[in-house]
Every structure is written in structure tokens, then in C-alpha cells.
Amino acid sequence: MPRLKSHSGSGGLLLSHGSSSRRILALKLFLLGMGGCALLAAVYLPGRETGIASENIRESNMRTLMGDTPAEADLLGASPARDDVIPPPDSSTAIATITMSSSSITTVAVAPTPSAAPALLLFPADAQLRDLTGALINANEALAGKSVGLYFGAGWCSMTRAANPGVSAWITAREADGVTLVYVSSDMDAAGLTQQQTENGWPFAVPHDSPLRTSLKEKYRVWSMHEDKAFKGRRVSGIPTMMVVGKDGEEMARLDVGMKGVDELAKWNYVEWKWE
């Protein structure tokens, strides 16, 4: 009598073998699906690489999915001409760019170094002095190369009248050495100024109506006691006073020829103190 147990066991083995085959097939399909997903991800997801080489790789991967075999040139990075890819500049473009860049650099305007400010002058460029003939001449031209003393005085002042002869003699004796005098008057009017210049032979005088008469008195703080109300601040010296000055107005010496006499003029270094 046949053994059903053995037969049924054989049937059980066959059933078990069929179930195993289906599991293997399902596993293969699963792996194939995973591989496809990975391949699609490589095609559509952007990687860290950018540019034409990355685009070529994505195109090659797509061809693989579509069953096309990528050409060797594609794998090396070459690709057909594309409208959306900007070709690298050729040598002529690069040269033009460099030339343009160089031109822009060389044509940049560089602000010139500011020149030194012109030296300040005691007398403005258009200032005028009155000479012994009564003519008006340019102050800076007349005094160029001279050693200049500003003589503050007035005809009505007894101390000025007493000092005038000695001052005049001292100046005249040194005119050949470049010594000269500019009379800054405290006279009451133009006639008084003219009289003093003519009688004493003052080479130059500030005109009576010139604003320089006031500005020079204010600058060096020299005026008569009758003029105290016309100026603010303290008077340093009265009249007569000789102020030896430089072209820029620098005070070289303040000589009180009224109180100390004409011997004060010996302090005047006329050899070095000149308007150069």
C-alpha cells in the first residue's frame, strides 16, 4: 500500500519550492526598481558639479535609460552645440577685454597734488604807494629787493618832527644798500601828509585815503594817542616808530626812535632783511 505521508511530503516540498521562487522574483524586481530610481536621481537631481561637463553626464545617463549608447566623445566632455551655452572667449576677445580694462585704468583722472598756497604779502597785489613826485606806483614792485621800514609819524607831533632829520639822514646814506622807507601818516589830511613827505624826502608814503593806513596801524598796533578811539585794543607803540618788516609782514624790528633816538636804527639789519 502506497505511503501517503511520503507522497504528501513530496508535495509539500514542491509547494515550498514554488513559494521560494516567487520571493526571489520579487526581490529581483525590487532591486531593479531601486536601480532605476538611483539612475533617475543621477539624471535629474543636480550634483555639486556645474557647467557643460555635468550637463553632458546627465545627457549620457538619459541616453542609457532610453537605450542609446553614449559616444566616447560625450563621455570625455564634448557635446553638440547648444544655444543656451555661452562659449568661452577666444583669444581676440580676451585681448580686447584686457585692453579695455587697461584703458579704463590709465584714463582714470588722478587729482593733481595741490600746489603750495601763494605766500601772503603785507601789501595786496594791487596796493599803491605815493612816491616823491606824487605818482602812484605798485607797492610790491616798488619795494622788491629792498629792506623796508614803515615809519609811523605825523607833522603835528613834536617828537616826530624832532626825529625826522636823523631818520632822513640815516635812510639817505643807505639807499644804495637797498634801504627804503614807507611813511604811514597820522596827519590830519592829505595836505599834511604831502608836506611831511616832501620836506623830509620820504621815498614812499601810504596815500591818505588808502585803507592801508588803518590796516597797518592795526596790524602792528602803532598809532598816536589822538587815534585811540579809532582802534580797538591796546596800543603797543606810539609815534614816531620805525617798524622793519618782511615782504610777508613779519616784524623784524620795532624801533622807538621817538623815545630812544635815532641810534635805535643801528638794530636794523638791512643787509639780510630784504624783500626777496
Side-chain angles (χ1 to χ4, degrees):
M1 186 175 184
R3 296 181 179 178
L4 295 174
K5 182 178 181 180
S6 174
H7 181 74
S8 62
S10 177
L13 290 173
L14 290 174
L15 181 60
S16 176
H17 178 73
S19 177
S20 176
S21 298
R22 286 193 297 273
R23 285 196 296 272
I24 292 173
L25 179 59
L27 181 60
K28 288 181 177 182
L29 291 174
F30 175 79
L31 292 176
L32 182 60
M34 290 294 292
C37 290
L39 188 58
L40 289 173
V43 172
Y44 290 104
L45 294 178
R48 292 184 180 180
E49 296 181 353
T50 59
I52 298 174
S54 299
E55 183 68 18
N56 291 338
I57 294 173
R58 288 195 290 270
E59 289 180 0
S60 299
N61 291 336
M62 181 60 73
R63 289 172 185 170
T64 302
L65 288 176
M66 300 299 295
D68 296 334
T69 302
E72 182 178 359
D74 291 339
L75 295 177
L76 293 177
S79 63
R82 292 167 54 98
D83 294 337
D84 60 340
V85 177
I86 301 175
D90 57 19
S91 59
S92 61
T93 304
I95 293 174
T97 302
I98 294 173
T99 302
M100 183 181 298
S101 177
S102 300
S103 300
S104 64
I105 293 175
T106 55
T107 56
V108 171
V110 179
T113 302
S115 59
L120 296 177
L121 300 177
L122 174 61
F123 293 117
D126 59 349
Q128 293 183 319
L129 298 177
R130 184 181 187 275
D131 67 9
L132 268 171
T133 68
L136 296 178
I137 59 176
N138 183 274
N140 291 295
E141 294 177 0
L143 303 177
K146 306 287 187 181
S147 185
V148 180
L150 305 178
Y151 186 48
F152 295 82
W156 53 261
C157 173
S158 60
M159 293 184 68
T160 298
R161 291 194 303 269
N164 284 346
V167 171
S168 179
W170 195 92
I171 295 294
T172 301
R174 293 163 179 79
E175 282 184 339
D177 296 320
V179 176
T180 194
L181 175 151
V182 177
Y183 181 52
V184 184
S185 167
S186 290
D187 294 296
M188 298 299 181
D189 50 33
L193 182 152
T194 300
Q195 181 180 357
Q196 285 297 301
Q197 185 178 16
T198 302
E199 290 180 356
N200 297 287
W202 305 140
F204 306 104
V206 177
H208 190 270
D209 59 354
S210 172
L212 284 173
R213 288 179 65 240
T214 300
S215 64
L216 290 173
K217 292 175 183 179
E218 287 180 334
K219 179 176 178 64
Y220 298 108
R221 315 303 296 173
V222 181
W223 57 78
S224 70
M225 63 179 182
H226 298 295
E227 297 172 300
D228 282 340
K229 293 182 179 180
F231 298 98
K232 295 180 180 180
R234 185 176 65 89
R235 179 181 55 166
V236 175
S237 302
I239 60 173
T241 294
M242 182 75 74
M243 295 293 305
V244 184
V245 297
K247 185 177 182 179
D248 59 355
E250 180 183 358
E251 178 180 326
M252 302 298 188
R254 182 183 294 262
L255 308 175
D256 186 357
V257 295
M259 297 293 294
K260 298 180 180 180
V262 179
D263 291 342
E264 276 285 279
L265 296 177
K267 300 176 182 179
W268 184 340
N269 187 357
Y270 55 85
V271 176
E272 297 183 2
W273 297 343
K274 292 188 177 181
W275 286 28
E276 301 295 346

